[in-house]
Amino acid sequence: MKILISTDIEGVAGVFHAEQVRAGNGEYERARAWMTAEANAAVQGAIAGGAEEILVNDSHGGFRNLLPDGLDERARLVLGKPRYLGMMGGLEEGCDAVFMIGYHSRSQGRGILAHTINSFAFSRVFINGMELGEAGLYGALAGEMGVPVILGTGDDVFIAETRDTFPGAEWVQTKVAHGQGSGITLSPAASRRAITAAAETAVRNLKGGVSVLGRPSDRKPIPFRIPAPIECRLQTQSAALADLFCMWPTLERVDGVTLRFTVDSMQSAVRTLNSLAAMSFMLR
């Protein structure tokens, strides 16, 4: 069994401020170490649950935050960009399930450091009428490839908005959000212990075995699939961004800050959104 661990940083225990998620300062260096440790906790639990192979995907920012020399040597690391599958890079190798570690809630919510793909560019993203954040978008990409999300970790807002999207998944609440930059967190050590236990349970559930408590498990995770065609409705953070994005001929302007496009797959939708995010740097 092969598991892909997609690891972001905003949902990691102890992380609350933008300085902690941006390279170039001591606060970030501490946060990326906590991020690496939570990834390792997930690796440990997955192997205890019966996984034979693990890929850890660095899914934050420039995709080069995890510390390779600090990673559990039983895992392989997916680093760098651009990559077509973004936060799901590694699924090309044929994985059986996905963990989402250190994830956050979608833009315009009260979750800690909440955003969707690009906080400068994107306000809200709708797919076939459903508002989705990064977990929903990338979970649908995994689902399109027949792969379920079986574990998610992050704050309470992230879990509340995502739980119903991934039936049968395990969840670890690392923090309680009191706002975009405040709340209550587990200690990094307590968070790691909880992640290890949940990861083991998640893999055992997928294998149809027993939980870590010794009870039979009938919670079979289901891939999250959105049928094609895929219509994406995107609200930008400013009219200037919509002006820029609609230079792309296949995008249709809806109003001052809204555009839409239709594609034949979630992979195409995600690749388009990531291309628009890259374009937005022209206006920074």
Side-chain angles (χ1 to χ4, degrees):
M1 177 175 290
K2 185 184 294 186
I3 303 295
L4 175 67
I5 301 175
S6 176
T7 310
D8 209 344
I9 197 169
E10 287 87 358
V12 169
V15 175
F16 284 87
H17 192 275
E19 190 171 77
Q20 293 176 284
V21 304
R22 294 174 183 159
N25 66 85
E27 288 293 312
Y28 165 76
E29 294 301 328
R30 290 177 65 84
R32 73 191 297 210
W34 298 336
M35 177 188 183
T36 304
E38 289 199 359
N40 282 339
V43 171
Q44 180 181 342
I47 290 173
E52 292 97 14
E53 191 170 352
I54 310 247
L55 289 169
V56 177
N57 177 328
D58 189 321
S59 296
H60 174 67
F63 296 166
R64 50 188 181 90
N65 310 275
L66 292 169
L67 300 168
D69 59 354
L71 189 72
D72 190 309
E73 63 183 14
R74 295 171 293 181
R76 291 184 293 142
L77 186 55
V78 183
L79 285 173
K81 63 172 34 175
R83 55 171 100 124
Y84 290 160
L85 299 184
M87 297 174 81
M88 289 295 117
L91 288 184
E92 312 94 315
E93 296 204 5
C95 298
D96 297 290
V98 170
F99 292 173
M100 292 180 169
I101 304 297
Y103 268 58
H104 52 81
S105 61
R106 61 179 177 247
S107 180
Q108 304 298 307
R110 288 195 63 196
I112 296 162
L113 297 172
H115 65 280
T116 301
I117 298 179
N118 185 309
S119 58
F120 169 77
F122 300 160
S123 175
R124 304 176 77 185
V125 179
F126 296 84
I127 299 291
N128 289 2
M130 294 181 289
E131 184 171 10
L132 298 176
E134 290 171 20
L137 292 166
Y138 279 101
L141 173 55
E144 186 171 82
M145 301 175 74
V147 182
V149 174
I150 64 172
L151 172 62
T153 77
D155 70 24
D156 59 319
V157 178
F158 158 70
I159 293 173
E161 75 181 30
T162 310
R163 185 188 295 274
D164 291 344
T165 305
F166 307 127
E170 297 294 312
W171 301 93
V172 174
Q173 182 178 296
T174 60
K175 296 178 280 197
V176 175
H178 290 175
Q180 278 269 320
S182 63
I184 301 172
T185 183
L186 295 179
S187 71
S191 181
R192 293 195 298 270
R193 285 194 296 273
I195 289 169
T196 296
E200 180 176 351
T201 297
V203 173
R204 288 184 183 275
N205 287 344
L206 187 67
K207 291 169 69 76
V210 296
S211 73
V212 292
L213 298 177
R215 296 193 293 265
S217 174
D218 58 0
R219 296 178 60 190
K220 194 69 173 177
I222 301 169
F224 174 47
R225 292 186 171 94
I226 300 177
I230 305 295
E231 182 191 67
C232 178
R233 187 179 181 97
L234 171 65
Q235 291 182 6
T236 63
Q237 295 283 12
S238 71
L241 285 158
D243 292 342
L244 174 64
F245 295 161
C246 285
M247 293 291 290
W248 197 326
T250 58
L251 273 58
E252 176 188 356
R253 190 72 167 264
V254 176
D255 60 32
V257 294
T258 307
L259 56 90
R260 66 184 169 207
F261 60 88
T262 301
V263 290
D264 60 1
S265 68
M266 274 305 302
Q267 182 176 159
S268 293
V270 167
R271 287 172 65 174
T272 301
L273 288 167
N274 285 331
S275 296
L276 296 175
M279 286 176 65
S280 74
F281 281 86
M282 293 178 62
L283 298 183
R284 282 182 182 252

